């Protein structure tokens, strides 16, 4: 609570999350004047949750990407503020997909912040249902991934 009090005293305009591995609850989401935004390394609403790089390879996607979205009380939900689509790398690994989407996502984040600050941001609905959520892969999914040629690095 003292950290949140400290944040409120700073009169923060925007909190930026770069693929945060934690949930921001309502009392934190309400602190910054312009809200909280997050980079998620998939083309939301596809593959919300952890490790979207694994799931895009697992499902043999042809496109990957990065999404900057407004954070709300649900994981990887909230309005889409920007999105970048990319071709799946040749012979993809989880590492190469993470590297590609984080690099593109960083550039996208700068663009989105500039659009927020100059008032030109376009918000798109991103209704992630509970059925869309991808959790950590199970042991059998990891085995299937490896059997089908999937690699981490």
């Amino acid at each position: 609570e003292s950290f949140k009090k400290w944040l409120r005293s700073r009169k923060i305009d925007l909190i930026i999350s770069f693929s945060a591995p934690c949930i921001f609850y309502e009392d934190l989401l309400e602190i910054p004047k312009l809200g909280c935004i997050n980079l998620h390394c998939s083309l939301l609403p596809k593959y919300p949750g952890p490790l979207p790089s694994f799931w895009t390879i697992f499902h043999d996607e042809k496109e990957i990407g990065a999404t900057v979205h407004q954070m709300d009380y649900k994981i990887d939900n909230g309005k889409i503020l920007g999105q970048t689509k990319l071709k799946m790398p040749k012979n993809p690994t989880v590492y190469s997909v993470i590297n590609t989407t984080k690099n593109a996502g960083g550039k996208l984040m700068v663009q989105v912040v500039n659009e927020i600050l100059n008032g030109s941001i376009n918000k798109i609905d991103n209704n992630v249902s509970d059925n869309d959520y991808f959790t950590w892969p199970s042991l059998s999914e990891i085995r299937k991934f490896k059997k089908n040629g999937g690699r981490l690095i």
Side-chain angles (χ1 to χ4, degrees), residues 30-47:
E30 293 175 352
I31 292 174
K33 181 172 63 173
L34 299 172
C36 301
I37 62 175
N38 179 56
L39 170 68
H40 182 75
C41 290
S42 80
L43 296 170
L44 289 173
K46 283 182 109 177
Y47 305 112

Side-chain angles (χ1 to χ4, degrees), residues 13-63:
D13 291 325
L14 184 66
I15 291 178
I16 298 171
S17 161
F18 206 85
S19 303
C22 58
I23 298 171
F24 286 26
Y25 291 100
E26 196 170 333
D27 55 345
L28 178 59
L29 293 170
E30 293 175 352
I31 292 174
K33 181 172 63 173
L34 299 172
C36 301
I37 62 175
N38 179 56
L39 170 68
H40 182 75
C41 290
S42 80
L43 296 170
L44 289 173
K46 283 182 109 177
Y47 305 112
L51 212 53
S53 52
F54 173 89
W55 295 113
T56 56
I57 298 169
F58 186 86
H59 290 284
D60 198 28
E61 296 288 348
K62 303 302 177 220
E63 286 185 324

Side-chain angles (χ1 to χ4, degrees), residues 5 32 35 42 48 56 60 65 87 95 127 138 140:
K5 187 176 180 179
S42 80
T56 56
D60 198 28
K87 278 183 151 179
Y95 175 78
N127 297 312
S138 67
S140 65

Side-chain angles (χ1 to χ4, degrees), residues 92-151:
T93 65
V94 171
Y95 175 78
S96 69
V97 171
I98 289 171
N99 192 41
T100 301
T101 56
K102 295 270 189 226
N103 281 321
K107 293 172 186 162
L108 177 64
M109 182 65 78
V110 170
Q111 175 188 325
V112 166
V113 169
N114 283 326
E115 289 174 4
I116 289 170
L117 295 176
N118 69 29
S120 66
I121 195 73
N122 183 28
K123 298 179 181 183
I124 301 166
D125 284 341
N126 172 38
N127 297 312
V128 174
S129 79
D130 292 339
N131 296 334
D132 296 329
Y133 186 79
F134 279 78
T135 189
W136 295 103
S138 67
L139 191 53
S140 65
E141 289 165 329
I142 292 169
R143 285 184 182 129
K144 183 176 179 183
F145 176 78
K146 292 177 91 174
K147 181 181 176 190
N148 292 335
R151 297 176 308 146

